[in-house]
Amino acid sequence: MGSRENGVTSSTSRGSGNGGAKVDKEVDFANYFCTYAFLYHQKEMLSDRVRMDAYFNSVFKNKHHFVGKTVLDVGTGSGILAIWSAQAGARKVYAVEATKMADHARELVKANNLQDVVEVIEGSIEDITLPEKVDVIISEWMGYFLLRESMFDSVIIARDRWLKPTGVMYPSHARMWLAPIRSGLSDHKMSDYEGCMDDWHGFVKETKTYYGVDMSVLTKPFSEEQKKYYLKNSLWNNLHPNQVVGTPAVLKEIDCLTVTVEDILKVEACVSSTITKEDTRLCGFGGWFDVHFNGRKENPAECGVELTTAPSIDDGTHWGQQVFLLHPPVRVNDQDEVRVNFSMTRSAENHRLMNVDLAYEIKLSSGVTLPPVANKFFIE
Amino acid sequence: MGSRENGVTSSTSRGSGNGGAKVDKEVDFANYFCTYAFLYHQKEMLSDRVRMDAYFNSVFKNKHHFVGKTVLDVGTGSGILAIWSAQAGARKVYAVEATKMADHARELVKANNLQDVVEVIEGSIEDITLPEKVDVIISEWMGYFLLRESMFDSVIIARDRWLKPTGVMYPSHARMWLAPIRSGLSDHKMSDYEGCMDDWHGFVKETKTYYGVDMSVLTKPFSEEQKKYYLKNSLWNNLHPNQVVGTPAVLKEIDCLTVTVEDILKVEACVSSTITKEDTRLCGFGGWFDVHFNGRKENPAECGVELTTAPSIDDGTHWGQQVFLLHPPVRVNDQDEVRVNFSMTRSAENHRLMNVDLAYEIKLSSGVTLPPVANKFFIE
């Protein structure tokens, strides 16, 4: 569940989790879970038509997966997926929610006359116990660029513990995409950064003049802090399809039935993209994801559904895309090739945030290859 | 140190501190301390000329308190107060800072050639040990409306442990003020709240129509959540002096040498304010503070200095004022009297945030007393 209101506070938490390493639960709550306890935040996600349509259709167009079956909704929030599962004919639905939002989910279930089917359980999925294994695990766990927030870890743990050997995952598959983009943001952010440094230099001068303290030794760390903030932190953006200037490439494919937490600790790929616009600027890369509701080989969906967060005019989502900006942008042309070495790992300070190494190399259509450029980014 | 970047994350932290009750340190760090580790934030405070001038003058116009003396700077941040203390002639300065900003403070001390006098110590003042007691404790601990962030607790603890019996506090005194104000914000926030509820009703209708789920049971909790956000959370504002429509009143007076943590757990006062404008609207109340650098009776300042955050055209500070809005505003007139019962206590979820009960009663200049109105506010 990507969230404009952050969903994760990027403070320097001393707890960290990396595929099993200890996460301080109280800190995790203060940094992460707490925003989901607000109805305003739930409403934001419930108002995302594309998201709602995809899950709604995935359930109601595949009732055979639900009728008379048992379902687990991981991170039920307001309870919407649990309610739909029950309305689609489930025998029993366990709706697990870590925050006090569980109280509202319980109210909502009752108000929709489904309390005999849906049981709301407040707690972390890692800690709670169910009386039985389930036929379906349904969850909306996706963060910005799919894995921000690392909520999928919890779904995998739930699957390994509570899904029957014949059970089905909703969604069943996920993919991460990357494409070269053009964007005015690159110039804007550089301009903001430069303005910020101009202001800093004025500040250093004044502090020396009026207060007798020489702050120039802090110029370097200040500029690094601001560079990170303005130039290296990935941005939420709602890209227009015209901003995609080359063929999108798949960075990662996930089978939600078999993937392990180990598999998603690191996303590493070497991909290639062909520029598809004449005489344009490569200002950065846009990252997004899609998920599919296909069921499983032994028990497929009758009607497969796709939820994509690719740049779109009419069908944008609250996830937007994550934008990694280059400084400076590079002039490119139709048929130039951009080769990207992409590597994303979890931040040591906060396992729900990411570090990205993105190196690109441009091979011009003339055959000349430009020197590779390496960049570090942060998904906060 | 009031901060526009919040300084405290108002998430529902399970740790709490109330004059000794257990505070989860990791959570406190994630919620509170972490923002002070950013140079950008330090710069904001260092760029506050009124703040800087007051502390600068308090030190350099009272060198007799510093020359050859020992000083403790509680929450040194960038190190500025410690550096000034050393420049004013201190023999030794202990500069304590809980965050990694301590590294930058150390650099700054060195770059200004004061490493023989200023010792930067990274840690919580409650945990560290000094080799001796000190003559002066200097600290910039004030949050919005003085006590938000509850940093003063740490200064009191430092005083009780490390200040010599003859020692001096910088600042020496503090006061909280309240005044009736007019403000367009009252209308704006009501308008925002109403728009938000209109949007909600549309959302409930659509969710029923398109997705078959009746969300109306959540209307009441949603409206309470939004009422709190739009109408009951106090606001940061930079009031124009013309917006103050009645005589300001003192809510609390603090002698920094003798006050205890117990004394500041609750701020309770019954005050009166006379309206000083013709035919105006009482839209709410503005709260601010001042501190004084007067030394102590046995060892007074040679030049007393005041730092005030009262509404000002030219001398505003980054603290602004805290604004408590009334809905609806009340028409008042010159010489009407506003009696206020004010009570501020710490939030159970987060001891650095506050709950306010503010009841007011208007006695018109005609002699008629209007019925009292009680309000709850939250300083987050």
Side-chain angles (χ1 to χ4, degrees):
Chain A
M1 41 203 70
S3 155
R4 282 211 74 172
E5 274 119 11
N6 214 11
V8 192
T9 308
S10 52
S11 58
T12 319
S13 152
R14 286 167 192 159
S16 71
N18 259 319
K22 196 164 159 355
V23 174
D24 184 306
K25 287 189 170 184
E26 296 279 350
V27 173
D28 197 29
F29 192 91
N31 277 341
Y32 173 63
F33 283 103
C34 58
T35 55
Y36 288 106
F38 289 95
L39 284 164
Y40 185 80
H41 188 178
Q42 295 293 330
K43 176 180 169 289
E44 294 263 283
M45 295 184 288
L46 292 166
S47 300
D48 179 337
R49 279 293 195 88
V50 172
R51 169 191 187 262
M52 292 288 272
D53 284 353
Y55 274 87
F56 182 87
N57 290 329
S58 78
V59 171
F60 288 101
K61 292 188 177 188
N62 292 291
K63 285 187 175 175
H64 68 292
H65 278 151
F66 292 88
V67 171
K69 300 285 197 283
T70 52
V71 181
L72 167 60
D73 177 0
V74 179
T76 200
S78 59
I80 187 73
L81 301 184
I83 285 170
W84 284 339
S85 300
Q87 288 174 335
R91 170 172 69 74
K92 182 78 186 185
V93 182
Y94 303 101
V96 181
E97 170 57 38
T99 75
K100 284 287 169 213
M101 186 55 56
D103 291 340
H104 296 308
R106 212 169 279 118
E107 295 282 304
L108 199 61
V109 163
K110 192 151 196 266
N112 286 271
N113 299 311
L114 296 164
Q115 63 273 26
D116 294 339
V117 177
V118 181
E119 182 181 335
V120 177
I121 300 165
E122 182 182 337
S124 295
I125 192 72
E126 292 85 349
D127 298 338
I128 60 97
T129 308
L130 302 180
E132 58 181 329
K133 293 203 179 201
V134 299
D135 299 296
V136 178
I137 288 181
I138 189 165
S139 178
E140 196 279 79
W141 51 265
M142 300 84 72
Y144 293 157
F145 202 18
L146 193 70
L147 295 177
R148 185 181 176 276
E149 293 177 49
S150 296
M151 184 183 162
F152 195 39
D153 290 17
S154 299
V155 179
I156 292 171
I157 286 165
R159 179 200 70 197
D160 290 346
R161 194 150 177 219
W162 300 113
L163 190 68
K164 289 178 181 172
T166 51
V168 175
M169 298 293 290
Y170 268 64
S172 58
H173 298 82
R175 280 185 306 195
M176 289 172 63
W177 292 84
L178 194 76
I181 61 163
R182 61 174 171 81
S183 171
L185 284 172
S186 186
D187 295 334
H188 292 158
K189 292 296 178 184
M190 180 53 80
S191 186
D192 288 345
Y193 167 73
E194 287 170 344
C196 179
M197 288 313 299
D198 285 342
D199 187 66
W200 170 266
H201 291 300
F203 159 78
V204 168
K205 197 169 162 194
E206 289 190 2
T207 309
K208 181 90 188 90
T209 306
Y210 293 114
Y211 301 119
V213 179
D214 182 357
M215 299 259 171
S216 57
V217 74
L218 297 181
T219 299
K220 186 160 177 287
F222 182 80
S223 107
E224 274 158 17
E225 185 185 288
Q226 299 315 303
K227 257 195 197 127
K228 179 175 186 290
Y229 179 78
Y230 285 109
L231 308 182
K232 296 188 182 183
N233 279 354
S234 61
L235 307 175
W236 183 96
N237 198 222
N238 203 8
L239 291 166
H240 190 285
N242 287 350
Q243 289 180 273
V244 178
V245 299
T247 53
V250 172
L251 288 175
K252 183 94 174 173
E253 298 204 60
I254 289 171
D255 180 342
C256 301
L257 203 53
T258 56
V259 68
T260 64
V261 170
E262 180 81 35
D263 292 334
I264 58 170
L265 287 181
K266 190 173 189 177
V267 174
E268 205 165 24
C270 190
V271 297
S272 208
S273 176
T274 309
I275 300 297
T276 49
K277 301 228 189 261
E278 294 242 352
D279 196 30
T280 187
R281 292 197 311 162
L282 173 66
C283 299
F285 295 89
W288 65 84
F289 67 88
D290 56 36
V291 296
H292 287 83
F293 301 84
N294 290 336
R296 65 185 289 173
K297 204 165 57 135
E298 304 86 342
N299 186 6
E302 272 170 17
C303 178
V305 172
E306 176 185 76
L307 165 55
T308 176
T309 65
S312 169
I313 301 171
D314 295 322
D315 295 331
T317 71
H318 76 287
W319 282 284
Q321 294 83 33
Q322 281 292 285
V323 165
F324 306 87
L325 297 167
L326 303 178
H327 305 92
V330 188
R331 293 225 74 89
V332 291
N333 225 319
D334 190 53
Q335 295 313 300
D336 289 343
E337 197 182 298
V338 183
R339 192 166 302 157
V340 175
N341 261 323
F342 180 94
S343 173
M344 185 174 90
T345 53
R346 298 173 179 206
S347 158
E349 286 84 26
N350 186 331
H351 77 292
R352 299 190 184 275
L353 304 176
M354 308 287 163
N355 297 334
V356 170
D357 282 293
L358 193 158
Y360 69 87
E361 196 179 62
I362 301 175
K363 186 174 158 195
L364 304 172
S365 50
S366 63
V368 172
T369 301
L370 303 177
V373 179
N375 296 272
K376 278 198 183 310
F377 295 102
F378 302 89
I379 304 181
E380 300 212 328
Chain B
M1 38 201 74
S3 154
R4 282 209 76 171
E5 272 119 12
N6 213 11
V8 192
T9 307
S10 51
S11 57
T12 319
S13 151
R14 284 164 195 163
S16 71
N18 259 318
K22 196 164 163 348
V23 174
D24 184 308
K25 286 189 172 185
E26 296 278 349
V27 173
D28 197 30
F29 191 90
N31 279 341
Y32 172 65
F33 283 105
C34 58
T35 55
Y36 288 105
F38 289 95
L39 284 163
Y40 185 80
H41 188 179
Q42 295 292 332
K43 176 181 170 288
E44 294 264 283
M45 296 184 287
L46 292 165
S47 301
D48 179 337
R49 279 293 195 88
V50 172
R51 169 192 187 260
M52 291 288 272
D53 284 353
Y55 273 88
F56 182 87
N57 289 329
S58 79
V59 171
F60 290 100
K61 291 188 176 189
N62 293 293
K63 285 188 176 175
H64 68 292
H65 278 151
F66 292 89
V67 171
K69 299 286 196 280
T70 53
V71 181
L72 167 60
D73 177 0
V74 179
T76 200
S78 59
I80 188 72
L81 301 183
I83 285 170
W84 285 338
S85 300
Q87 288 174 336
R91 171 173 68 74
K92 183 80 187 185
V93 182
Y94 303 100
V96 180
E97 170 57 39
T99 75
K100 284 288 169 214
M101 186 55 58
D103 292 339
H104 296 309
R106 214 169 278 118
E107 294 282 304
L108 199 60
V109 163
K110 192 151 194 264
N112 286 271
N113 298 311
L114 296 164
Q115 63 272 26
D116 294 337
V117 177
V118 181
E119 182 180 336
V120 177
I121 300 165
E122 182 182 337
S124 294
I125 193 70
E126 292 85 350
D127 298 340
I128 59 97
T129 308
L130 303 179
E132 57 181 330
K133 294 205 179 201
V134 298
D135 298 297
V136 178
I137 289 181
I138 190 166
S139 179
E140 196 280 79
W141 51 266
M142 300 83 71
Y144 293 157
F145 202 19
L146 192 70
L147 295 177
R148 183 183 178 276
E149 291 178 52
S150 295
M151 184 183 162
F152 194 39
D153 290 18
S154 299
V155 179
I156 291 171
I157 286 164
R159 179 201 71 198
D160 291 347
R161 193 150 178 219
W162 299 114
L163 189 68
K164 290 178 183 172
T166 52
V168 174
M169 297 294 289
Y170 268 65
S172 57
H173 297 82
R175 281 186 304 195
M176 289 172 63
W177 292 84
L178 194 76
I181 61 163
R182 61 173 170 82
S183 173
L185 284 173
S186 186
D187 295 335
H188 293 158
K189 291 297 175 183
M190 180 53 81
S191 185
D192 288 346
Y193 166 72
E194 287 170 345
C196 179
M197 288 315 298
D198 285 343
D199 188 66
W200 169 266
H201 291 301
F203 159 76
V204 169
K205 197 168 162 195
E206 290 191 2
T207 308
K208 181 89 187 94
T209 306
Y210 293 113
Y211 301 118
V213 179
D214 182 358
M215 298 259 170
S216 57
V217 75
L218 297 182
T219 298
K220 186 161 178 284
F222 181 80
S223 107
E224 273 158 18
E225 186 185 288
Q226 298 315 302
K227 259 197 195 127
K228 180 176 185 291
Y229 179 77
Y230 285 109
L231 308 181
K232 298 188 181 182
N233 278 355
S234 61
L235 306 174
W236 183 96
N237 197 224
N238 204 9
L239 292 166
H240 190 285
N242 288 351
Q243 290 180 272
V244 178
V245 299
T247 54
V250 172
L251 289 175
K252 183 96 176 170
E253 298 204 61
I254 290 171
D255 180 342
C256 300
L257 202 52
T258 56
V259 69
T260 64
V261 170
E262 179 82 34
D263 292 334
I264 59 170
L265 287 181
K266 188 172 191 179
V267 174
E268 206 165 25
C270 192
V271 297
S272 210
S273 177
T274 309
I275 301 298
T276 49
K277 300 225 189 262
E278 294 243 350
D279 195 32
T280 187
R281 291 197 310 163
L282 173 65
C283 299
F285 296 88
W288 64 84
F289 66 88
D290 56 34
V291 297
H292 287 85
F293 301 83
N294 289 337
R296 65 186 290 172
K297 204 165 53 130
E298 304 85 343
N299 186 5
E302 271 170 20
C303 178
V305 172
E306 176 185 75
L307 165 56
T308 176
T309 65
S312 169
I313 302 172
D314 294 323
D315 295 331
T317 71
H318 76 286
W319 282 284
Q321 294 82 33
Q322 282 291 286
V323 165
F324 306 87
L325 296 168
L326 303 177
H327 305 92
V330 188
R331 293 225 73 90
V332 292
N333 226 318
D334 190 52
Q335 296 313 302
D336 289 344
E337 198 183 296
V338 184
R339 191 166 301 155
V340 176
N341 261 324
F342 180 95
S343 174
M344 184 174 91
T345 53
R346 298 174 180 205
S347 157
E349 286 84 26
N350 186 330
H351 77 292
R352 298 190 185 274
L353 304 176
M354 309 286 162
N355 297 335
V356 170
D357 282 294
L358 192 158
Y360 69 88
E361 194 179 62
I362 300 175
K363 187 173 159 196
L364 304 172
S365 51
S366 62
V368 172
T369 301
L370 303 176
V373 180
N375 295 273
K376 278 197 181 315
F377 294 102
F378 301 90
I379 304 181
E380 298 211 330

